Amino acid sequence: MRTSALLRDRLARIAKPSIVGVGDDVLDCYLNEDLAYPGGNALNVSVYSRLLFDGIAGFVGIVGDDRFAQHLLAVLDEVGVDHTRVRRAAGANGMAFVALDDDGDRRFVGSNRGGVQEGLRLRLTETDLDYLSGFGRVHTSVYSAIELELPLLRARGIHVSFDFSDDPPASILERVAPHVEVGFFSGGALSDAEVERLGRRAVDAGIDTAVVTLGIRGSAAFSNGARSDAGVVPVEGIDALGAGDAFIAGFLAATAAGSDLDECLEIAAVSGALACTYRGAFGYPVEAGADARAQLIRRYEAV
């Protein structure tokens, strides 16, 4: 097992990145603890770029006007993530609900359907585009519903990364890939042959570099006909929530620093391991309470 100090020392050798997350944000409500932690793929990537690399970071998204949204914005202020382009809408902030299974593993068991984000779509203005152009990297995801905006970003020469989550339908990949520099995929359930096909398919569709995370099997990256593989980094962790988003932040930081594929995967693995030392995605909980539980309106399974 590596200590947090050793992992942080490794990341300190990477140049500070400039990353802005665009899209999704939530509060992850841990039902067993009655605590809600800030999270969401796009928000997490921006926060991890600050916490792990002391980078320049921003976040653009839609939040509610409840106490959970206020807490989320206050945390961004404390961490040092700029949120001047965030939209606030009347209603509940997005919330996901997490439960513990018999083995102590955390499972997403429900949501409030994104809160205010369910009925709104983030539309990027010229002011937004000018703002985003001031960062070295823009990261977004399949959960952020800004696919229609991606051509505007790439037309400005902005480096765009996109988290596709699980193996996406061909129609989504073909529509998004030409506008994405780095694409991330969750492939823990895929066979080695399926991972190879997914990586090659993503690159053939137009993505410069495709990265497939494989859970305890590590990760694989594909670019220009080359493939690189890396294992996981062992650490005494307390919570794996957010590890995939920290992996993304690490890969993007190393890419911006000019690292080759092998080092990018190594730095990503170290970042993912460090995220496991935080409770929630990156800490900063607030009491959940009855007003949080009342929002569990979409159940994935019995709680």
Side-chain angles (χ1 to χ4, degrees):
M1 293 286 179
R2 299 191 199 177
T3 65
S4 295
L6 284 175
L7 298 180
R8 290 187 181 278
D9 180 67
R10 177 65 183 98
L11 298 188
R13 295 176 236 166
I14 298 297
K16 297 179 181 180
S18 171
I19 299 174
V20 56
V22 180
D24 59 314
D25 63 86
V26 299
L27 274 294
D28 292 313
C29 180
Y30 281 39
L31 294 171
N32 64 303
E33 299 176 6
D34 198 32
L35 294 174
Y37 296 81
N41 176 266
L43 184 140
N44 283 345
V45 170
S46 64
V47 170
Y48 285 129
S49 71
R50 282 289 298 160
L51 292 179
L52 305 184
F53 297 94
D54 195 28
I56 298 169
F59 174 69
V60 180
I62 301 172
V63 302
D65 64 354
D66 58 9
R67 70 180 179 92
F68 298 107
Q70 190 61 44
H71 175 72
L72 186 149
L73 295 177
V75 169
L76 293 184
D77 285 333
E78 184 169 347
V79 173
V81 174
D82 183 79
H83 57 84
T84 53
R85 299 304 303 166
V86 161
R87 281 73 153 161
R88 298 200 69 173
N93 203 81
M95 186 165 286
F97 294 86
V98 183
L100 289 176
D101 63 20
D102 293 338
D103 296 323
D105 292 329
R106 303 185 187 280
R107 299 173 289 111
F108 285 101
V109 296
S111 74
N112 67 348
R113 299 184 185 277
V116 295
Q117 298 170 70
E118 181 185 21
L120 301 174
R121 186 172 76 81
L122 186 63
R123 297 176 182 272
L124 300 180
T125 66
E126 283 298 315
T127 303
D128 292 323
L129 294 172
D130 290 341
Y131 174 79
L132 297 176
S133 296
F135 290 85
R137 308 265 149 180
V138 171
H139 176 74
T140 189
S141 75
V142 70
Y143 308 111
S144 302
I146 69 160
E147 289 89 343
L148 296 178
E149 315 286 340
L150 296 181
L152 300 176
L153 299 177
R154 200 63 188 258
R156 287 198 173 212
I158 295 173
H159 299 287
V160 176
S161 60
F162 193 96
D163 186 358
F164 291 87
S165 188
D166 300 322
D167 189 1
S171 58
I172 293 178
L173 184 57
E174 291 169 1
R175 184 171 71 249
V176 171
H179 314 297
V180 171
E181 182 181 87
V182 185
F184 296 92
F185 303 84
S186 298
L190 302 180
S191 67
D192 291 341
E194 289 170 329
V195 169
E196 180 76 17
R197 284 197 295 272
L198 173 58
R200 300 302 179 194
R201 179 163 63 92
V203 172
D204 289 345
I207 293 175
D208 295 343
T209 302
V211 183
V212 186
T213 56
L214 306 171
I216 61 173
R217 293 152 57 203
S219 58
F222 302 81
S223 183
N224 297 323
R227 172 173 174 165
S228 181
D229 294 88
V232 298
V233 173
V235 67
E236 193 66 43
I238 59 174
D239 192 343
L241 188 72
D245 300 335
F247 178 100
I248 290 173
F251 192 94
L252 296 179
T255 299
S259 301
D260 60 20
L261 275 186
D262 288 339
E263 186 175 27
C264 285
L265 286 180
E266 178 210 348
I267 295 300
V270 170
S271 302
L274 258 178
C276 295
T277 64
Y278 293 95
R279 179 73 72 188
F282 52 85
Y284 295 95
V286 64
E287 182 182 359
D291 48 342
R293 289 176 177 270
Q295 295 182 52
L296 207 175
I297 58 179
R298 180 187 182 192
R299 295 176 182 268
Y300 306 140
E301 55 185 286
V303 179

